[in-house]
Amino acid sequence: MPQKNLFSRVIEDIDAALVRDPATNTRFEMFMTSPGLHAVWQHRVNHWLWKRGFRTLSRVLSNCTRLWTGVEIHPGATIGRRLFIDHGMGVVIGETAVIGNDVHIYHGVTFGGKTLESVKRHPTVGNKVTIGAGATLIGNITIHDGASIGANTTVTHDVAAGAVVVGQAPRTL
């Protein structure tokens, strides 16, 4: 990735995070203090290594990132642009998870699997989705664009675009 592109992506991430985090006032502060951004940036490196066959190295670095940030993102997960993980601690994103652009995830969220088979087993999250603290998304499900998942909600079925789900989420599609 060319330097200019790398720098512009970092600024893009910081600016998107500043819009979503009223407690942080400057780019410098966000750059220095956001474990969610640090985890996403390291994930990009780990994912690059993963895709090129350096799977053990990418997993080792992913574990180091988890120790440093409290956020565990499997190197195989696919993440879009401007993901902001607010507070970060306890977020777990599994190997086959796919996350779209402009997604906001709060602390304690899990993207988990339902099977031990080597298939797509983690959630797919569309664009502009908000996932509340402690939410659990399980299995090969799709959270469509613009949906909001409430805090501590367990989701095991697809969620329609623009829907708001709370509690033990019922089937919505």
Side-chain angles (χ1 to χ4, degrees):
M1 191 179 301
Q3 284 296 92
K4 182 179 179 192
N5 192 18
L6 175 62
F7 180 75
S8 65
R9 287 289 297 271
V10 168
I11 295 299
E12 177 181 75
D13 287 338
I14 291 170
D15 288 346
L18 281 170
V19 168
R20 298 181 191 132
D21 185 356
T24 306
N25 298 310
T26 68
R27 284 178 172 166
F28 180 74
E29 182 182 1
M30 185 62 75
F31 177 82
M32 295 301 293
T33 65
S34 176
L37 284 180
H38 297 156
V40 169
W41 293 334
Q42 184 59 48
H43 169 74
R44 290 186 182 139
V45 172
N46 297 341
H47 187 70
W48 186 88
L49 291 166
W50 179 267
K51 303 249 327 162
R52 282 152 185 81
F54 298 99
R55 294 192 169 201
T56 301
L57 176 59
S58 65
R59 302 249 353 238
V60 168
L61 292 173
S62 176
N63 280 312
C64 292
T65 303
R66 178 178 48 135
L67 290 171
W68 175 38
T69 65
V71 176
E72 180 174 342
I73 307 173
H74 191 285
T78 302
I79 293 177
R81 295 173 76 147
R82 298 173 300 277
L83 168 63
F84 180 52
I85 302 173
D86 202 348
H87 298 288
M89 188 58 71
V91 170
V92 177
I93 300 172
E95 175 187 9
T96 62
V98 177
I99 300 173
N101 299 323
D102 302 303
V103 172
H104 190 161
I105 299 173
Y106 286 91
H107 60 282
V109 169
T110 299
F111 287 59
K114 276 203 288 197
T115 180
L116 298 177
E117 295 177 36
S118 195
V119 296
K120 171 77 168 96
R121 61 190 184 281
H122 297 97
T124 297
V125 173
N127 300 318
K128 297 185 179 184
V129 171
T130 299
I131 304 171
T136 304
L137 287 62
I138 302 293
N140 183 15
I141 60 174
T142 300
I143 312 302
H144 291 274
D145 294 352
S148 294
I149 309 300
N152 296 314
T153 298
T154 299
V155 184
T156 58
H157 299 286
D158 290 357
V159 174
V164 176
V165 293
V166 296
Q168 180 71 30
R171 182 182 293 266
T172 58
L173 284 181

